[in-house]
Every structure is written in structure tokens, then in C-alpha cells.
Amino acid sequence: MNFTITNLPKSEVEIEITIPFSEFEPHVKKAAVLISEKIEIEGFRKGRAPYDVMKNKVGEAAIYEEAAELAVRRTYPEVMTGIKNKELGISEDFTPIGRPEITITKLAPGNELVFKIKVALLPKISLPDYKAIAQKIRAKKEESAVGDEETDKTIRWLCDARTQLVTVARPAQKGDRVEVDFEIRHGGVKIEGGESQNHPLVLGEGRFLPGFEDELAGLKAGQKKEFTLTAPEDWRDKAFAGKALDFSARMNLVQERKIPELTDEFAKGLGDFASAEALKQNVREGLLREKKEKETQRVRALIMEEIAERAEIEVPNVLVAGETEKMLAELKSGAEQMGMQWADYLAHVKKTPEELQNGWQGEAEKRVRIALCLGEIARQEKIKPAEEEITARANQFLAQYQSPDETAKNIDAKQLKEYARGILKNEKVFEFLETV
């Protein structure tokens, strides 16, 4: 067996392998036997028909194609292992990634077998001064603080979330929750999407066309009203911006919202809080932790974006393609979690999966560059999580499921540990960059 290696752009190589006929012939004979085991030939038991009989029965080309597949399956791992272990005269690092592309270039009776393997390699990475970059960006980290207004806003949200709704027979007024049927027309023609049944809203929140909620105030359940409103010039639907719209509405339900006040009793009902002030302090501390975490993530992102942008890397296309596949899977999962069918989502955005992926090429390459740089920093700084840390993190992932024992049966333990290893390694790299 002989081979030559040609370097290609984007961290890819092409390996041309030549197998002399003397080495290829045993594969031809084995291929004939394997084919004969699958078909019925009169006068012969399966697997016992002579080569010439098989050649006449299925054609010599079919035998050679089967033989080529056998030879490639056996030779490919031998060549790749030999190159990786530097047993075949290749001195540089050689780490294949992704699936190889294999092409048979010469296959004929009595001749040598020649085929080519195109494969992407883990690229060489030349990092910038990542320590200096981290120090520069960390110097611009913003201090996190929480004001009374933010705390009060969250407290109001907690109170609103525990609002009691009481159906009333009186006219609707500001602050009430109501349900209405309505229809919108322009020039006597109902506009697209301009109709709703039992539409819920809170009067006074201003989440509809300006003036709409004011017109509903004063209506009791069962009452109807027609009115005209002019859409603002900057209205989101440009087709009707600045135009007069005719409404017909029917009030179906009026509910008074009884929002609890912040008292010691209310605070105790939410958890282990001795007083309203203790609840406010807990909310303030929670908001502060959240702000600090967001700022930490923002700074981490800026550090890695600059490192990745300034690093010298020939990013393999296979990694970019793999990242767009991952992004597509994430989007599909998100859409389904919101109750949308994937086909309906694609119809809504008017895109095919391929068009979505094509539009993500730049972002996908950016993600890949960051991941490669994180790995290279870990290699250079010898950053490795301990095995007990990896096991603990993997168990944390399993604990998130309702039935960890059942989930563990359906999850590849080795893959889960590798995933946990990658997450922990990246965390340790970020921790390193936050202290250098």
C-alpha cells in the first residue's frame, strides 16, 4: 500500500491511497464469497459458487465494487491510525474531525485499487496575547448595583402575580381585567387579523391601539359599542399608519383585580420571610446576583470574541456545517417547546432549513472559532477538570430530570461525561482569564 497527502485550504487534506493488485486480490475473492452467500445459484450451496460462476451471474463489476468497499473499510482506519501515531512518516499533528469523503478513482479487473480520502483536520491555532486581552477588557467591567426603583418594580410584579380576580356587574374601569370580542374595518372592509374573540386585556396598560381601552371603559358585560380611532403615524402596521379604523366591540366579562399589598403577612406567605422588609432585601440580593452574573457573562463574551477574532485559524467547513446543524436543532426544539409545529414555524418565517443555515454561516464560524480558542487555551495552560468534578457535573445533569434512574438508561454515559468535561473545562478557562 502506498499513499500521498496533499494539503488543501480550510484545514483539509486529501490522501490518495494505492493498493497493488496483489494486496487487493484477496478482497476480490472475499467479495465474491460474500455475494454468493446472499443469492441462490442453482447447483451450489450459498457461499460455495466458484468465482467464474459468480462473475457470470452478477457481473465482475459488482464483485469489484464490493471488494473496493471491503478494502476501503479495512485500509482507512489503518492509514489514519498510522498517520496519527506518526508511524507513516508524517511528523506534524494530524487529528481528523468529521466524516471523511471517500472517492474511488481507479477500479478495474486485474489492476491496482486507487482511492482518495478528503478529511478535515483539527486546525492549527495561533492565539493572540489572551492574557493581555483579558486584562484590558476586565478593566472595563461595570460595577453592579440595584436601586430602590428596580426592587419596588419586582415587588409589584410579585403582588400582581397573586392578584385575585372577582367578576363584577358594574361598568368596566381602569385597572379591570376584561374580555372582549372586536372587529376592525377600514373603508368598510375587515382588515386581515383584525378580529378576536374573548380577547383579554387590562384597561390602562396601553397594550393596544391608543384610545381603544378608553373606549371600552364604562361598558358592562353584554354591552356593545362602535367607535373610530386613528392609528398613529408610527403604528407597527405601516399599511394602516395614520388611517381611520372603525371598531365594533362587545364586552363579555369585567373582573376587578384585587392586588395584595406588601405586608408582613404577605411576605410570610411567599416563603421563609420574617417581614416585608426581609422580602425586599431578598429580592434586592437576588437582583444583584442576576446583574453580576449578566455582567460576568458579558465580559466573558467580549474577551473570547476578541481572542477569537485576532486568532489565526483556518476553520474547517465541516465544523461550521456542524454548528449550523446544532443551531437548527436548537431552533426547532425551541419552536416545539412553544407549541409550534416545525413546518408551521418554517411557513411563518418563509424560510427553508437550508436558507436558515446559509444565513447563519458567519455566526456559526464565530462560535466555532471561540470553541477552538477555548480548547487551545486549555491545552496551553494545562487546564483539566478532575474526574470527580466531571462525575458530579454529569450527575447534576441527570438530576434535572423527573426520573434520573430511567433517564440514565436512555443516555449514553460516556457522551454525557464528555459533555460535562467540555462544560467544566470551558468554565475553568473563563475562571483563569478572570484572574490572570
Side-chain angles (χ1 to χ4, degrees), residues 7 17 30 84 121 147 150 169 179 206 212 227 258 265 289 312 337 358-359 361 408 419 425:
N7 291 317
I17 299 172
K30 184 176 181 181
K84 188 175 181 180
L121 304 178
E150 293 173 277
E179 292 181 9
F212 180 74
F227 50 92
K258 292 190 174 183
E265 287 303 313
R289 282 195 301 272
E312 295 179 11
Q337 286 176 8
N358 289 337
Q361 293 296 307
Y419 175 72
K425 184 173 68 174

Side-chain angles (χ1 to χ4, degrees), residues 383-410:
I383 296 173
K384 293 182 180 180
E387 286 301 317
E388 55 268 23
E389 291 179 293
I390 296 169
T391 300
R393 181 59 62 91
N395 289 337
Q396 285 180 10
F397 290 138
L398 289 176
Q400 295 174 4
Y401 296 90
Q402 290 183 344
S403 178
D405 292 338
E406 188 63 29
T407 303
K409 296 177 184 178
N410 301 320

Side-chain angles (χ1 to χ4, degrees), residues 326-336 342 345 356 360:
K326 179 181 175 183
M327 294 165 74
L328 192 69
E330 290 170 351
L331 179 62
K332 182 179 180 182
S333 176
E336 290 172 347
W342 180 233
Y345 175 83
L356 287 171
W360 294 335

Side-chain angles (χ1 to χ4, degrees), residues 39 48 73 89 116 198 283 287 290 301 308 314 359 376 425:
I39 62 176
R48 297 293 185 178
R73 280 209 305 264
K116 291 182 178 180
N198 292 321
V283 167
L287 290 172
E290 184 179 332
E314 276 195 280
E376 182 62 12
K425 184 173 68 174

